[in-house]
Amino acid sequence: MKNKTFQSLTNPLAKNNPILVQILGICSALAVTTQLKPALVMGLSVMAVCAFSNLILSLLRNTIPDRIRIIVQLVVIAALVTVVNDVLKAYVYDVSKQLSVYVGLIITNCIIMGRVEAFALSNKPLPSLLDGIGNGLGYGAVLVIIGFVRELFGSGTLFGYQVIPECLYEAGYVNNGLMLFPPSALIIVGIIIWVHRNANKDLQEK
Amino acid sequence: MSKKGFLGGKNSNAYIVFYSTVMVVIVALLLAFTSLSLKDKQEANELNEKKNAIVASLGLEAGTYDQVIDAYVVNAAGEKVAVEGEIIKRLSNLPENYAAGEYIVFENKENGEVVVPLTGKGLWDDIWGYVALAADMNTIKGVIFDHAGETPGLGAEIATPKYQAQFPGLTIYEGADLVGIEVVKGGAKGAAHSVDAVTGGTKTSDGLELMIKDCLKCYDAFFKARQAEANVEVVETVNAE
């Protein structure tokens, strides 16, 4: 039992990663990963929303009328996202400007509703909370990897600090402009999925 | 079916109405509380962003607003008028200020350069910005534009440093006429009053041109008065020599 609870945290990190295996939440993964910082903040925001919506809806699961189940889920998720958006605006204003509409769009992120519907409504609060954190982490981890590659090769910086030395630029090195555009994120996601499936043979379709 | 609980069970209409009402009230209270408790901080952030945009148009570093900027309001005749409250807070309802004939000026105390706030309409929503003029009240020192909802990659390009880099060095007066900045399709290079439009963002570009011209016009008298002052000083120094 203990082991199973723990698995709800670790499973979404690799074997059942929302982006890499379920191919959910791709839209925001393309949009907010030109730099590492917004990618990290977005990952944390989704994790917070996913964890708390799972926890709250799991606590409420026996009281929710079936007919308005989806509406209740949406109200809880939307309320949490609004709180997150307000907090970002108050404490990390510049990042919240970069993330712009994508924070609000967490409401429609399939990962969150998917986890609530598939897991939280039929499981106890603790595993649901862990499942939410796990999925948020799985999503955030992929975002951070993409953000790392895109910022490093697109701008030569990490978290805004110059990491590619000036002498390389003088020697003729140029930043890759493609990295700053959404298609590069899609290509990187594709490469990560490829590596991931290669490492996990059981995920490969026959 | 046989088990009937509170209000006739979980799936009765009465329960559903009750449940949704309670849920909405709780959520409303929660959101109102968060919004109110974070409001001051959010407003401070927005104000700070405006201050930084103003000094950025002058080419100064962020955070220098409070030391170098003197803000005041002028009327259509270019005379300073006394107004209540903090001037920078007026930027949140800039169109009303323009409509009331109260024009805001941010002056660099050190060298007499001024920044004027602009407001206009893009294709989808509001656009706004700041134009910094050198002490001659003619040469553009720098500009900052921003928008509420222009199309990314097209109209939204006006907010990029690359687009705004076209403006410094251009002049807004042709003799005594305020001509503003023309946004043209190709061939702007080398012209004194024109910049290239945004490809695929024609409506936004038109809005930008209109905004610059309409807003700067309101300051015409103020700019001319300052130009005359500057000329007198030049003449005086020449005479003194």
Coordinates of all heavy atoms in Angstrom, one line a residue, chain B residues 135-136 225-235:
Chain B
A135 N 16.5 67.8 -25.5 CA 16.2 69.2 -25.0 C 15.8 70.1 -26.1 O 15.1 71.2 -25.8 CB 17.4 69.7 -24.3
D136 N 16.0 69.8 -27.4 CA 15.6 70.7 -28.5 C 14.1 70.5 -28.8 O 13.6 71.2 -29.6 CB 16.4 70.5 -29.7 CG 16.2 69.1 -30.4 OD1 15.4 68.3 -29.8 OD2 16.9 68.9 -31.4
A225 N 7.1 76.6 -26.9 CA 7.5 77.5 -25.9 C 8.9 77.1 -25.4 O 9.8 78.0 -25.2 CB 6.5 77.4 -24.7
R226 N 9.1 75.8 -25.3 CA 10.5 75.3 -24.8 C 11.5 75.6 -25.9 O 12.6 75.9 -25.6 CB 10.4 73.8 -24.5 CG 9.6 73.5 -23.3 CD 10.3 74.0 -22.0 NE 11.5 73.2 -21.8 CZ 11.5 72.1 -20.9 NH1 10.5 71.8 -20.3 NH2 12.7 71.5 -20.8
Q227 N 11.1 75.4 -27.2 CA 12.1 75.7 -28.3 C 12.5 77.2 -28.3 O 13.6 77.5 -28.4 CB 11.5 75.3 -29.6 CG 11.4 73.8 -29.9 CD 10.5 73.5 -31.1 OE1 9.9 74.4 -31.7 NE2 10.5 72.2 -31.4
A228 N 11.5 78.0 -28.1 CA 11.7 79.5 -28.0 C 12.7 79.8 -26.9 O 13.6 80.5 -27.1 CB 10.4 80.2 -27.9
E229 N 12.4 79.2 -25.7 CA 13.3 79.4 -24.6 C 14.7 79.0 -24.9 O 15.7 79.7 -24.6 CB 12.8 78.5 -23.4 CG 12.1 79.2 -22.3 CD 11.5 78.1 -21.4 OE1 12.4 77.4 -20.8 OE2 10.3 78.1 -21.2
A230 N 14.9 77.8 -25.5 CA 16.2 77.4 -25.9 C 16.9 78.3 -26.8 O 18.1 78.6 -26.7 CB 16.1 76.0 -26.5
N231 N 16.1 78.8 -27.8 CA 16.7 79.8 -28.8 C 17.2 81.0 -28.1 O 18.2 81.5 -28.4 CB 15.7 80.1 -29.9 CG 15.5 79.0 -30.8 OD1 16.4 78.2 -30.9 ND2 14.4 78.9 -31.5
V232 N 16.3 81.6 -27.2 CA 16.7 82.8 -26.4 C 18.1 82.5 -25.7 O 19.0 83.3 -25.8 CB 15.7 83.2 -25.4 CG1 16.2 84.3 -24.5 CG2 14.4 83.6 -26.1
E233 N 18.2 81.3 -25.1 CA 19.4 81.0 -24.4 C 20.6 81.0 -25.4 O 21.7 81.5 -25.1 CB 19.3 79.7 -23.7 CG 18.7 79.8 -22.3 CD 18.3 78.5 -21.8 OE1 19.0 77.5 -22.1 OE2 17.3 78.4 -21.1
V234 N 20.4 80.4 -26.5 CA 21.4 80.4 -27.6 C 21.8 81.8 -27.9 O 23.0 82.1 -27.9 CB 21.0 79.6 -28.8 CG1 22.0 79.7 -29.9 CG2 20.7 78.1 -28.4
V235 N 20.8 82.6 -28.2 CA 21.1 84.0 -28.6 C 21.9 84.7 -27.5 O 22.9 85.4 -27.8 CB 19.8 84.8 -28.9 CG1 20.1 86.2 -29.2 CG2 19.1 84.1 -30.1

